[in-house]
Amino acid sequence: MSQGNDRPAYSRIADDLRAQIQSGDPPAGGMLRSEASLARSYGVARGTVRQALAELVRLGLVVSEMGKGSRVTGETVGGHDPAVTRYEIVAHSIRKQVASGSLGRNQQLPGEEALAEQFSVSKGTARQALQMLADEGLVTAVHGKGWFVGNAQTPLTRADEIAHLIREQIISGNIPAGTQLAGENQLAQQYSAARGTVRRAIATLEAEGYLESRRGQGRTVTKRTEPDGSEATTGPAKRLPT
């Protein structure tokens, strides 16, 4: 136990347990010994141990789980507060892998079901963890593909980047509903990309419902929802200016 016998016993026990946690024993996600076991080990009353555990909870090092005991939540990393919920523990683990480089930029993450199985949590908890990381800009969801390391401002491929640029113009209203999109050749020149790359970008936007093919009109921007919940009016098809 730490030195400093002038301090309350619970404080010295808390310091000793904190040192053990910081050394990885038990590791993040692991359970501390029961109050009764700790009381015997330190030769104090269970009430004293309970005070020590309350101090660790206050510091964010452990979380009390009803009927189970005290679980280690993990250390502070990169300025983030220690994890205190199951989804934060999952996010904390993924965040550490990204920071260490074991999960590289643009690398695809395991799906929600795989993460749920890996961390013994529900799919909803795994989804909360991924959304938390997305809010931090560490991961992004790519439609029809899954979750990847990186943020929405740095698309995964050139086709994704072109789709992102066109999508932003549609969402902002710079390309109104009913506008006829320029042809593949014209877009390839505009974005300095191959026709195949442009075709993949357009296919993504069609799958997301931003574009549709109309006989004799090419690909046209579909109706989109306005902030007030109403649909934008689709007027006569217009050629996208270059």
Side-chain angles (χ1 to χ4, degrees), residues 174-238:
N174 289 334
I175 305 179
T179 299
Q180 184 179 351
L181 201 66
E184 291 179 2
N185 284 337
Q186 191 172 344
L187 289 172
Q189 292 179 353
Q190 179 180 345
Y191 292 104
S192 302
R195 280 188 62 186
T197 300
V198 169
R199 193 174 298 121
R200 288 194 295 276
I202 291 173
T204 295
L205 295 172
E206 287 180 327
E208 294 174 352
Y210 287 100
L211 299 173
E212 64 179 16
S213 295
R214 294 182 178 178
R215 185 181 298 276
Q217 295 183 1
R219 295 179 177 92
T220 305
V221 176
T222 61
K223 293 181 180 180
R224 61 187 179 82
T225 302
E226 299 290 2
D228 62 1
S230 62
E231 286 189 335
T233 303
T234 304
K238 301 180 283 297

Side-chain angles (χ1 to χ4, degrees), residues 108-228:
Q108 186 170 10
L109 296 170
E112 292 174 4
E113 188 171 345
L115 287 173
E117 183 176 351
Q118 178 183 344
F119 291 97
S120 300
V121 297
S122 68
K123 285 180 64 176
T125 297
R127 189 176 304 118
Q128 280 183 290
L130 291 170
Q131 188 57 59
M132 181 180 189
L133 296 172
D135 291 342
E136 296 172 7
L138 290 179
V139 303
T140 188
V142 178
H143 181 78
K145 297 180 181 179
W147 292 88
F148 293 79
V149 178
N151 56 50
Q153 281 66 51
T154 54
L156 305 175
T157 67
R158 180 59 175 154
D160 290 330
E161 182 179 9
I162 293 172
H164 172 74
L165 292 172
I166 297 174
R167 185 187 302 110
E168 287 298 299
Q169 294 184 67
I170 293 173
I171 293 173
S172 67
N174 289 334
I175 305 179
T179 299
Q180 184 179 351
L181 201 66
E184 291 179 2
N185 284 337
Q186 191 172 344
L187 289 172
Q189 292 179 353
Q190 179 180 345
Y191 292 104
S192 302
R195 280 188 62 186
T197 300
V198 169
R199 193 174 298 121
R200 288 194 295 276
I202 291 173
T204 295
L205 295 172
E206 287 180 327
E208 294 174 352
Y210 287 100
L211 299 173
E212 64 179 16
S213 295
R214 294 182 178 178
R215 185 181 298 276
Q217 295 183 1
R219 295 179 177 92
T220 305
V221 176
T222 61
K223 293 181 180 180
R224 61 187 179 82
T225 302
E226 299 290 2
D228 62 1

Side-chain angles (χ1 to χ4, degrees), residues 84-98:
V84 294
T85 64
R86 295 299 291 162
Y87 79 85
E88 287 177 320
I89 291 173
V90 176
H92 173 75
S93 178
I94 296 173
R95 192 185 296 115
K96 285 180 67 176
Q97 293 179 65
V98 173

